[in-house]
Amino acid sequence: MNKALSTTAAAVALTAAATACGSGGGQGGQGGGDDTIVLGFSQVGAESGWRTANTESIKAAADEAGIELKFSDAQQQQENQIQAIRSFIQQDVDVIAFSPVVESGWDTVLAEARTAGIPVVLTDRAVETGQEDVYETFLGSDFVEEGRNAGRYVVEEFADSDEDVNIVELQGTTGSAPAIDRKEGFAEIIGEDDKFEIIASQDGDFTRAGGQEVMQAFLGSHDDIDVLYAHNDDMALGAIESIEAAGLKPGEDIKIVSVDGIKAAFQAMAEGKINQVVECNPLIGPQLMDLVEKVHAGEEVPERVEVEEGVFGQDQAEEELPNRQY
Ligand code: AHR
């Protein structure tokens, strides 16, 4: 799908480098006479433990690979990301990578990068675009499968029950790929049995404060919640505070399944407060740098590179806790 761009971008980069300074460095602007690759990376923000680990992984891997990283934090605002990408284009970086805060609205800026001959790598979150060949590759998780895995836990947990199961859902940022896909995957699995019903579903913006606030509202309007499905651990941890404040026992009175696998969630799981964690691996810095180097060199890259992840229950929490790297 993005091979045409790959070839074009590589050709532009190589020609420009050859004319400008006889070395790598995109269109010659940032290479500065050496072979250092300059990568412009626009991060979503610092909204969650997952995101912090992802940022650290990217910074450390760039350092390790000898790639010059221009890092920009968008504070969860799409306009900030668009501005950052435009600034990377102006600075004539060799490769642009970004984790898009939401799925849509990228066509114009992606076309600008293509016109400038700068290859783009998507990490973590995908974009929805009507255009062909606007990015080289996507590196990240299968969010739909993560949602399915959360759904499978609920179906198994209540397999022997004939009663209705009332579920509340804490969604990630509206319009973001993980919120859309995790909702879809979960709905697909629980939809197989009509005893499962999502009685409330709201955006908690992937933050602990959002999870706490929305769960408090859920508890105010529903006294029959059986399950909380949180699209990430931070929201689940915030929700736990509200559940406890309401005099209920998280993990017992309300079963909780969440996504990410941060240390704090494993700790909560070891304490019996979360029942199941679906892993989403943020430690993708080394894979990203590998792809950046390949794209810069004009090598073929797969259209999609997926990250391996697991699913963990309470019985594994204690043992797994010391192994968690994020
Ligand atoms: O895109 C990955 C998601 O974004 C993580 O699940 C969440 O914690 C983060 O904010």
Side-chain angles (χ1 to χ4, degrees):
M1 167 186 175
N2 297 304
K3 300 298 165 281
L5 173 66
S6 180
T7 319
T8 318
V12 171
L14 286 173
T15 314
T19 14
C21 50
S23 70
Q27 295 192 23
Q30 290 287 326
D34 64 26
D35 288 333
T36 307
I37 298 172
V38 180
L39 168 67
F41 184 85
S42 170
Q43 180 60 289
V44 169
E47 73 284 3
S48 62
W50 188 100
R51 188 64 57 195
T52 305
N54 181 245
T55 293
E56 280 166 11
S57 171
I58 288 164
K59 287 183 174 172
D63 205 36
E64 174 78 11
I67 290 176
E68 185 186 330
L69 180 68
K70 293 183 179 292
F71 183 91
S72 172
D73 178 338
Q75 300 181 346
Q76 287 196 277
Q77 300 301 318
Q78 183 175 33
E79 55 269 32
N80 292 344
Q81 283 200 300
I82 291 175
Q83 215 171 44
I85 294 167
R86 289 202 167 121
S87 150
F88 295 148
I89 294 171
Q90 257 176 5
Q91 292 172 66
D92 196 15
V93 300
D94 295 313
V95 181
I96 293 172
F98 75 112
S99 173
V101 62
V102 288
E103 265 191 350
S104 56
W106 302 102
D107 282 359
T108 307
V109 76
L110 285 174
E112 289 169 22
R114 179 173 53 186
T115 303
I118 302 176
V120 172
V121 175
L122 298 180
T123 76
D124 161 38
R125 299 180 180 183
V127 297
E128 210 180 76
T129 174
Q131 304 181 109
E132 294 253 314
D133 303 332
V134 282
Y135 63 91
E136 298 289 308
T137 180
F138 164 83
L139 165 67
S141 308
D142 182 343
F143 295 138
V144 179
E145 189 58 18
E146 290 171 354
R148 287 192 194 110
N149 280 330
R152 286 179 188 120
Y153 157 73
V154 176
V155 168
E156 259 171 51
E157 179 67 34
F158 292 89
D160 298 332
S161 165
D162 295 327
E163 316 241 312
D164 287 348
V165 179
N166 293 331
I167 303 165
V168 294
E169 180 182 34
L170 277 168
Q171 291 185 48
T173 309
T174 301
S176 68
I180 295 167
D181 293 352
R182 287 174 187 164
K183 183 172 188 58
E184 181 193 318
F186 185 78
E188 178 192 313
I189 298 298
I190 60 155
E192 288 166 12
D193 188 331
D194 59 16
K195 76 179 176 192
F196 297 109
E197 195 190 344
I198 299 181
I199 56 169
S201 180
Q202 209 176 302
D203 183 352
D205 210 15
F206 282 127
T207 65
R208 193 184 273 237
Q212 190 265 328
E213 200 179 306
V214 177
M215 190 68 205
Q216 193 178 29
F218 286 163
L219 288 161
S221 41
H222 302 277
D223 59 4
D224 51 356
I225 301 170
D226 300 306
V227 176
L228 163 66
Y229 167 40
H231 287 190
N232 83 344
D233 290 341
D234 285 80
M235 291 191 294
L237 293 166
I240 286 171
E241 291 171 29
S242 294
I243 293 169
E244 288 179 330
L248 296 169
K249 282 198 168 155
E252 285 183 35
D253 298 323
I254 297 178
K255 305 285 183 196
I256 301 180
V257 53
S258 71
V259 187
D260 275 358
I262 62 171
K263 257 189 203 152
F266 271 79
Q267 184 60 50
M269 198 155 61
E271 290 164 10
K273 296 181 182 183
I274 291 181
N275 302 82
Q276 184 98 347
V277 163
V278 177
E279 189 178 40
C280 178
N281 185 357
L283 309 178
I284 54 178
Q287 274 173 290
L288 173 61
M289 297 313 144
D290 189 45
L291 286 168
V292 165
E293 280 168 351
K294 288 193 168 128
V295 159
H296 181 61
E299 286 175 33
E300 285 271 313
V301 288
E303 205 171 291
R304 198 177 157 90
V305 181
E306 275 180 14
V307 183
E308 279 193 28
E309 338 196 273
V311 179
F312 298 89
Q314 275 184 350
D315 52 338
Q316 295 155 289
E318 199 97 43
E319 202 186 322
E320 184 59 25
L321 197 48
N323 306 327
R324 298 311 291 169
Q325 289 175 55
Y326 61 97

